[in-house]
Amino acid sequence: MESNALALNLIQRVNVGDSLTRSAVRNPQALALVEGDRQLSYTEFNEHVNRVSHGLIDQGVEVGDAIALASENSIEFLATYYACAKIGAVCVPVNLGWRSDEVSHVLRDSGARILVVQAGLVPAMAAPAAAAEALELVVVVGSSPATLGDLSTMSFAELASYPDIAEPRRLVDDRAPLTYLYTSGTTSAPKGVVGNHTAVYLESMTMVIEGQFRADDRFAALLPMFHTAQLNCHCTTAVMVGAAIFIQPGFDADALLALIETERITQIFALPMMYRTMLDRDSISRRDLSSLRRALYAMAPMPQEVLERCIEVFDCDFYLLFGQTEMSPTATIFRTENQLTHPGAVGTPVVNVQVAIMGDDGALLERGESGEIVYRGPHVMTGYLHNTQATEEAFRYGWFHSGDLGHFDEDGILWFTDRSKDVIKSGGENVASLEVEKAIYAAEPGAAEVVVVGLPHAHWSEAITAFVVPRPHAHLDPAVIQKNMRNHLDAYKIPKAIVVVDELPKTSTGKVQKNRVRDANVGLYQGI
């Protein structure tokens, strides 16, 4: 007979895995996942996850054990994630853009006992896996083209062939860790953000409310699932309401436009540059996009001209989410009704999150005053893995400190100024790189992508410097851009140099890596 504690936990607990169970009970035959020619109903998806869960238990996985996951977007990715949730294991998604030494650090730091890896990624994972002391088993999705030395291996198909489809019966605390999501380190190794069941469950419910998700929605999942935005803003929320997820291997403008038309997609999540790429396709005028209800963008600001075109062409509600991995990740939403009245803002607090602006002394500031953006609410992470000092620093004064700078305007709408580390100190003035980037977009319609950084300069200390990627067939003249920027910025904020480049270094989720831009151009002003 099972313990009273387990019985009570199964009745009352907050567990992300249970949201899948409940959707399968409510809508057993509803379409859950589509990947290529593979389709699973909610009953089939839930049974598949339960088989994987029992397979992991059969391999000796205990509550709290870490399971690393290196995979592109796939049914197996989501099956592993939900299996970890149901049995109380911790899922550790591997960012496929990491260097080998970063993967090694994550496998060691997380103490991963099992690595689930897509077959094509086995060669890249071989060296980090061999160096991970705690790793006992590698589960390969598909047929592997390479071996993993002395490590034990098995196929995912074998793991998922366990005959028991009953719900796993494990005692999992509400605040037990669900994920270790590692943030990219620019000057140090990635930090493990400990996400817990309550945080992700309530963040998913928040997105149901704020994103207006419905059971009859059909989602295109094209951004990497190893990133919290795709995983916990769209996927877990879609599963919670019992909607369909069309899994895409990545972004392809023509393929996405065709998918929207043929599969009657209702909600999409893409980066600003992806929307711009779709707008530039000649075929977009011939596509039937009338099924779209809502379109989400994140990771970067949407230039106003692009946003206006998006609203006109896609003819649906556009909204921006603002937050970070430590917030699971949503903190504010830039609502449809504010998109054109407050261009450039990041919105208002979502349900379950309290947002404030704090000064250096810990005092909360009034509307109109600038300071650090801080949060309270159940979305907040448990802490940083094995890093008590960083956790205490992030939670000082009884708030979570975002590292972002901003202010609330008189309408109660939040404006993001910059990451504190990206503020440029030039000639005794603090200049927000984001403000300069927005001004370049406004001054030069031919700019496809812009990043602004501060570079060492003998006179200015840091010289404001812009790197601009032109749109196809556009010719950019730095002197003309600087002249046109005078209509949008104070003179001291205009870049000392504008460099036209073919591309910018990005993370796997499309964020420009400002640290790499700075490092690669640190000597630009030498001798000046």
Side-chain angles (χ1 to χ4, degrees), residues 371-432:
E372 184 179 12
I373 303 170
V374 293
Y375 304 118
R376 278 179 174 169
H379 293 191
V380 179
M381 67 171 183
T382 302
Y384 293 110
L385 186 65
H386 309 315
N387 198 331
T388 302
Q389 181 178 351
T391 301
E392 291 176 350
E393 178 69 13
F395 290 160
R396 67 191 185 279
Y397 302 123
W399 291 77
F400 170 69
H401 290 250
S402 69
D404 294 332
L405 302 178
H407 69 276
F408 281 103
D409 65 18
E410 65 275 9
D411 295 322
I413 294 178
L414 182 66
W415 293 75
F416 166 61
T417 303
D418 214 341
R419 292 289 294 173
S420 57
K421 64 184 179 182
D422 291 330
V423 171
I424 301 168
K425 299 174 176 59
S426 181
E429 299 283 353
N430 290 339
V431 178

Side-chain angles (χ1 to χ4, degrees), residues 273-427:
M273 65 177 182
M274 296 175 181
Y275 287 109
R276 174 171 246 163
T277 301
M278 287 190 284
L279 289 173
D280 288 340
R281 286 290 190 270
D282 292 336
S283 62
I284 195 169
S285 62
R286 300 187 297 273
R287 292 292 186 185
D288 179 3
L289 308 177
S290 60
S291 60
L292 281 177
R293 293 198 306 112
R294 291 173 69 79
L296 164 64
Y297 64 101
M299 311 293 183
M302 180 87 83
Q304 191 67 10
E305 174 261 339
V306 176
L307 179 59
E308 291 173 356
R309 287 180 63 207
C310 280
I311 293 172
E312 177 185 358
V313 173
F314 290 97
D315 192 24
C316 67
D317 290 343
F318 272 76
Y319 65 109
L320 164 73
L321 294 183
F322 180 73
Q324 57 195 105
T325 302
E326 290 88 339
M327 288 300 295
S328 306
T330 308
T332 72
I333 179 172
F334 194 21
R335 304 173 194 281
T336 300
E337 60 269 25
N338 298 137
Q339 293 279 310
L340 299 181
T341 61
H342 295 72
V346 295
T348 52
V350 296
V351 172
N352 290 322
V353 176
Q354 181 182 0
V355 184
I357 305 298
M358 183 176 285
D360 293 340
D361 59 356
L364 298 184
L365 304 179
E366 300 294 330
R367 288 185 180 183
E369 296 184 285
S370 296
E372 184 179 12
I373 303 170
V374 293
Y375 304 118
R376 278 179 174 169
H379 293 191
V380 179
M381 67 171 183
T382 302
Y384 293 110
L385 186 65
H386 309 315
N387 198 331
T388 302
Q389 181 178 351
T391 301
E392 291 176 350
E393 178 69 13
F395 290 160
R396 67 191 185 279
Y397 302 123
W399 291 77
F400 170 69
H401 290 250
S402 69
D404 294 332
L405 302 178
H407 69 276
F408 281 103
D409 65 18
E410 65 275 9
D411 295 322
I413 294 178
L414 182 66
W415 293 75
F416 166 61
T417 303
D418 214 341
R419 292 289 294 173
S420 57
K421 64 184 179 182
D422 291 330
V423 171
I424 301 168
K425 299 174 176 59
S426 181

